[in-house]
Amino acid sequence: MKKQVKVVVVDDNEAVIRSVKDYFKDSEIISVIGGFTNGKDALNYLLQYPDQYDLLMLDLILTQFDGIRIIEELKNHNINKKIMVLQSEEFKLWEQVTLCLNQLIWK
């Protein structure tokens, strides 16, 4: 049996978190183990339990800490996880976000 991928979803829209959980609820290979609606709570969990998750599904526009800051903090703590960026608004910012992410990755 394949290893189950453990996912944490961070999005300020609770409906997005519920949708992701519902979509994967019967999956044998993906388990959504947590969901957070603000960056501060998410970052606290991600830093405290880095061995508990494999993939981070992350909205970039959040309350308290934005997604870019979360990525920076994970990198500063040498926590290297796969990250899927969720973004449904502010598409005009995407070019700036891409530049920031590239700087974080290749720094």
Side-chain angles (χ1 to χ4, degrees):
M1 184 174 162
K2 290 184 179 181
K3 176 187 170 195
Q4 194 170 44
V5 177
K6 294 177 260 172
V7 179
V8 173
V9 183
V10 182
D11 196 300
D12 56 352
N13 184 341
E14 288 184 38
V16 170
I17 296 170
R18 277 194 311 273
S19 294
V20 172
K21 286 180 176 181
D22 287 346
Y23 186 82
F24 291 113
K25 70 181 174 192
D26 296 324
S27 175
E28 294 181 14
I29 59 171
I30 296 176
S31 174
V32 179
I33 62 165
F36 297 91
T37 57
N38 73 68
K40 184 177 180 181
D41 290 344
L43 183 59
N44 287 337
Y45 175 85
L46 297 169
L47 293 176
Q48 190 171 358
Y49 302 105
D51 296 332
Q52 297 298 312
Y53 61 97
D54 305 302
L55 172 68
L56 173 60
M57 296 178 77
L58 178 64
D59 186 4
L60 295 179
I61 300 173
L62 299 165
T63 57
Q64 297 178 345
F65 294 156
D66 64 27
I68 298 294
R69 183 165 176 195
I70 289 173
I71 293 170
E72 289 173 334
E73 288 298 320
L74 292 175
K75 183 174 175 151
N76 289 340
H77 287 84
N78 294 315
I79 298 173
N80 299 309
K81 298 291 180 176
K82 302 232 184 277
I83 300 172
M84 178 184 292
V85 174
L86 304 173
Q87 193 59 45
S88 60
E89 297 178 26
E90 306 293 334
F91 287 110
K92 59 188 167 193
L93 294 176
W94 190 245
E95 186 174 310
Q96 293 172 336
V97 167
T98 303
L99 290 173
C100 290
L101 290 174
N102 282 331
Q103 289 175 350
L104 287 171
I105 293 168
W106 299 111
K107 220 178 203 183

